[in-house]
Amino acid sequence: MTPLAPAPEARPRAALELPAAPSAPAVPVAPQAVAPVALPGGRDAVGEHPQLPAPAPDGGPRRLLVWPEPDPATRQALQDRGYRPVIVRSREEVDAQVAGFPAALFVDPLTGPITRTALQSLRTAALNSRVPVLVTAGLGQATRDAAYGADPAVLLRALAPRDGENHAPRVLLVEGDPDIAAAMIGSLERRGMHVEHAVDENDAVARASSVQPNLVVMDLLQIRRRRVGLLDWLRANDRLHRTPLVVYTSVDLDPRELPRLRTGETVLFLAERSTSDDVQSRIVDLLGRIGAMGEAGVAAAG
């Protein structure tokens, strides 16, 4: 399978290969009643310290399904947080791990490109087994000819389940920059997705009940690390395991160049996420919260 274009060594690798294979069937999701996020005692803090995943049934580290193989720094950070990373490369390998109650499927393409077909297959297997899905990405900006990664909509289209063949996937986009948001919305809508835009996480929680998203896409820096937010809404409404979450970094974008997205002079493309200490910490924190929310799912499955 051939990547869109090979990236020069001085540039980050493109995060997604673009095969010509047709999309896999979408996972139907039945509509359900929604519930507000409960804030005990009127507070919205989830704790002063990073959350740890619920332990495995045998009391050992909780399994975290990962693809591709994590880089050494990410693997160590996950282990330090109480996870046991388990590499999966196929739907069958995901199915084989379900009995161990994995906390999530974590797709973090730092060590190699990912393909749309494989991503759809892993996503379908995870969601069918009530395993949450978290995908990371980075955004780059360049002229159309110079962009060396895929259109972000290619990745998102592969991830988004639909309620049926005649229903467009509903995407909740959380992005505070109007130029980035406009470029993302245009890209997604051109590929047949319905997009609801929220400017921050508070706005996203307010919109989520009416949208009932099939996919959540948000700037990693928009996620509040120690407060109740969109993740808690997804769990409270039994959607955490049915709604893939894509978090992206845009720290490498030049704010002075962003207005060129609106004029069409430049486009967004997928690249590796940032590997800064802050970004790494935020991603591991997010996975810790997802794992901590998995206690109910483990109990129910048992």
Side-chain angles (χ1 to χ4, degrees), residues 262-283:
R262 285 187 180 269
T263 64
E265 297 173 81
T266 60
V267 296
L268 294 175
F269 63 90
L270 288 174
E272 287 182 354
R273 68 167 172 86
S274 168
T275 56
S276 71
D277 290 344
D278 179 59
V279 166
Q280 189 87 323
S281 172
R282 286 173 179 271
I283 289 173

Side-chain angles (χ1 to χ4, degrees), residues 26 157 160-171 188-189 191-195 211-215:
R157 179 77 178 181
R162 293 187 292 175
D163 293 343
E165 287 299 318
N166 297 321
H167 295 83
R170 298 183 302 277
V171 179
L188 294 171
E189 289 183 341
R191 290 185 177 266
M193 289 174 270
H194 171 76
V195 184
V211 176
Q212 300 240 3
N214 303 119
L215 178 69

Side-chain angles (χ1 to χ4, degrees), residues 83 126 231 244 253 282:
Y83 277 122
L231 208 64
L253 299 183
R282 286 173 179 271

